[in-house]
């Protein structure tokens, strides 16, 4: 299946200086949840704004469902729903009318059955005749999603869905997004919360200073991160690792006072018991042990740090 969104060699320079996007290429597959993860100022909003046709790129190309976002703007834009970060709703308008109006803005004919389906799926049907100002914060966010879905888009963009949202509402949003994917909607969310990317995404794209540093299946990423490190502090410094221990792939700390052993937490055997026995057989005495697990947060920070160095 061709990608639903294809971004090639996209660059954006605002008048003010350094490029906000620098040669970004990215394919987004139909039906996936892609999290665009990056620190503030990384270029996330600029990227989605260009894909949604709100900002023009300096160079590069974007297609949505095969339609060019510049030359076939209307056709491309119709396939997109955008849920903005800020809650901006007509306070006196009712839920159902504001949702219908959004659909009308796309030039779509009125379709009450579809609007009912959208509002029901967001648990807003009972509130359809309430003015939006009377709704709770969580419901207001759902109305924004209803408006974004009103014209039946194939792709939904969520810009920082958890910004300023309490934990309970955040969980509710996450469930909602999963339900939408189950209905076949492709979802792209921008976030600077690592937890959010970890919880929701099928794939994670890490962006920093206008460049994509990594795009990877979350499961693969987590499998890699499933590795743990065991640090063995030695009684006496070691000049070289004995040949008999080569199979463990041990790394020696710079001062030779510690050995680092990488192991896979998912593996049936970690090899630790055998390693300790083999060290003892070589007469290497261990003073202390410490294990640590790399997390998405560490990988993210390392990548971003390296990139800034
Ligand atoms: P993010 O959404 O990841 O926080 P942005 O896309 O908002 O990042 O910003 C990327 C860079 O572009 C930042 O350096 C920001 O200051 C700059 N930028 C964003 N919007 C504008 C604008 N309208 N005019 C000038 N510079 C901008």
């Amino acid at each position: 299946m061709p990608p639903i969104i294809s971004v090639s060699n996209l660059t954006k320079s605002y008048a003010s200086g350094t490029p906000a996007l620098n040669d970004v290429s990215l394919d987004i597959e139909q039906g996936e949840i892609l999290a665009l993860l990056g620190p503030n100022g990384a270029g996330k909003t600029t990227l989605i704004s260009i894909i949604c046709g709100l900002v023009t790129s300096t160079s590069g190309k974007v297609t949505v469902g095969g339609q060019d976002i510049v030359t076939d703007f209307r056709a491309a834009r119709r396939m997109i729903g955008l849920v903005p970060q800020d809650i901006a709703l007509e306070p006196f308008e009712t839920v159902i009318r504001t949702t219908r109006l959004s659909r009308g803005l796309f030039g779509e004919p009125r379709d009450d059955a579809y609007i009912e389906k959208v509002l029901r799926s967001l648990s807003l049907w009972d509130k359809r005749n309430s003015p939006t100002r009377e709704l709770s914060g969580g419901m207001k966010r759902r109305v924004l999603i209803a408006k974004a879905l009103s014209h039946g888009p194939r792709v939904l963009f969520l810009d920082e869905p958890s910004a300023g949202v309490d934990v309970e509402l955040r969980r509710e949003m996450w469930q909602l997004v999963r339900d939408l994917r189950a209905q076949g909607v492709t979802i792209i969310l921008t976030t600077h919360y690592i937890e959010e990317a970890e919880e929701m995404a099928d794939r994670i794209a890490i962006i920093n200073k206008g460049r994509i540093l990594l795009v990877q299946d979350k499961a693969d990423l987590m499998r890699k991160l499933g590795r743990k490190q065991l640090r063995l502090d030695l009684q006496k410094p070691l000049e070289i690792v004995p040949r008999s221990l080569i199979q463990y792939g041990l790394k020696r700390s710079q001062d030779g006072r510690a050995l680092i052993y990488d192991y896979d937490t998912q593996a049936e055997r970690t090899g630790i018991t055998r390693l300790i026995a083999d060290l003892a057989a070589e007469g290497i005495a261990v003073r202390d042990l410490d294990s640590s697990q790399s997390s998405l947060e560490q990988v993210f920070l390392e990548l971003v740090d390296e990139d800034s160095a």
Side-chain angles (χ1 to χ4, degrees):
M1 213 186 291
I4 182 84
I5 293 181
S6 180
V7 174
S8 342
N9 308 108
L10 202 62
T11 297
K12 172 69 185 178
S13 301
Y14 289 104
S16 53
T18 51
L21 292 179
N22 189 350
D23 199 21
V24 167
S25 296
L26 179 67
D27 281 346
I28 299 168
E29 307 302 329
Q30 197 158 319
E32 73 172 334
I33 299 180
L34 177 87
L36 211 52
L37 182 66
N40 278 324
K44 305 182 292 293
T45 305
T46 302
L47 177 57
I48 67 168
S49 301
I50 293 173
I51 301 175
C52 295
L54 303 173
V55 167
T56 50
S57 65
T58 306
S59 61
K61 184 180 161 85
V62 176
T63 62
V64 182
Q67 311 281 349
D68 188 296
I69 193 68
V70 178
T71 56
D72 306 306
F73 173 72
R74 280 181 163 273
R77 186 62 184 86
R78 273 196 50 211
M79 285 183 259
I80 296 175
L82 172 61
V83 183
Q85 209 178 111
D86 299 322
I87 294 178
L89 290 169
E90 275 291 323
F92 297 101
E93 203 59 273
T94 63
V95 169
I96 193 159
R97 276 182 50 89
T98 195
T99 311
R100 265 195 216 128
L101 278 172
S102 288
R103 180 177 170 88
L105 290 179
F106 280 92
E108 292 289 319
R110 184 165 159 169
D111 184 342
D112 287 346
Y114 178 72
I115 297 292
E116 177 173 345
K117 184 176 150 237
V118 168
L119 293 181
R120 282 191 187 279
S121 75
L122 294 163
S123 310
L124 284 170
W125 185 242
D126 292 346
K127 295 282 178 189
R128 63 190 177 281
N129 293 318
S130 303
T132 59
R133 72 185 144 112
E134 288 176 10
L135 303 178
S136 69
M139 283 182 193
K140 283 185 180 137
R141 290 223 172 227
R142 281 189 263 142
V143 174
L144 291 179
I145 298 177
K147 284 163 67 81
L149 291 173
S150 64
H151 61 288
R154 291 170 65 193
V155 188
L156 189 68
F157 284 89
L158 290 157
D159 194 7
E160 297 280 353
S162 300
V165 162
D166 65 32
V167 178
E168 204 175 319
L169 188 52
R170 194 173 300 167
R171 302 229 157 259
E172 190 187 303
M173 288 285 298
W174 291 349
Q175 189 51 48
L176 196 65
V177 169
R178 286 196 198 93
D179 294 346
L180 288 171
R181 182 194 40 193
Q183 293 163 33
V185 181
T186 304
I187 290 149
I188 295 106
L189 64 109
T190 68
T191 184
H192 62 272
Y193 291 115
I194 292 164
E195 189 199 354
E196 186 157 73
E198 196 167 333
E199 175 75 27
M200 303 245 291
D202 299 312
R203 271 200 313 159
I204 293 180
I206 297 183
I207 177 166
N208 190 40
K209 295 202 277 182
R211 290 184 311 114
I212 302 260
L213 300 182
L214 167 154
V215 190
Q216 202 162 45
D217 242 56
K218 186 186 65 188
D220 288 348
L221 205 59
M222 298 318 277
R223 210 170 300 126
K224 276 194 195 151
L225 301 179
R227 295 195 77 75
K228 270 191 157 187
Q229 273 197 342
L230 180 70
R231 184 186 164 91
L232 305 126
D233 284 319
L234 308 177
Q235 296 276 14
K236 286 193 218 129
L238 195 67
E239 288 286 319
I240 49 160
V241 179
R243 287 189 64 84
S244 64
L245 299 175
I246 236 151
Q247 51 171 316
Y248 296 104
L250 298 168
K251 280 189 264 118
R252 220 173 52 94
S253 66
Q254 250 177 359
D255 60 6
R257 290 188 170 272
L259 291 173
I260 315 292
Y261 174 51
D262 277 321
Y263 64 98
D264 187 350
T265 50
Q266 322 269 326
E268 205 173 317
R269 288 168 186 278
T270 60
I272 292 173
T273 320
R274 211 155 40 90
L275 170 64
I276 307 255
D278 287 351
L279 284 167
E282 283 288 339
I284 301 171
V286 174
R287 197 166 50 84
D288 198 7
L289 295 174
D290 187 26
S291 78
S292 61
Q293 170 143 33
S294 46
S295 63
L296 179 57
E297 175 143 19
Q298 264 174 351
V299 166
F300 174 69
L301 292 177
E302 269 170 33
L303 273 170
V304 170
D305 267 2
E306 257 174 42
D307 192 53
S308 301

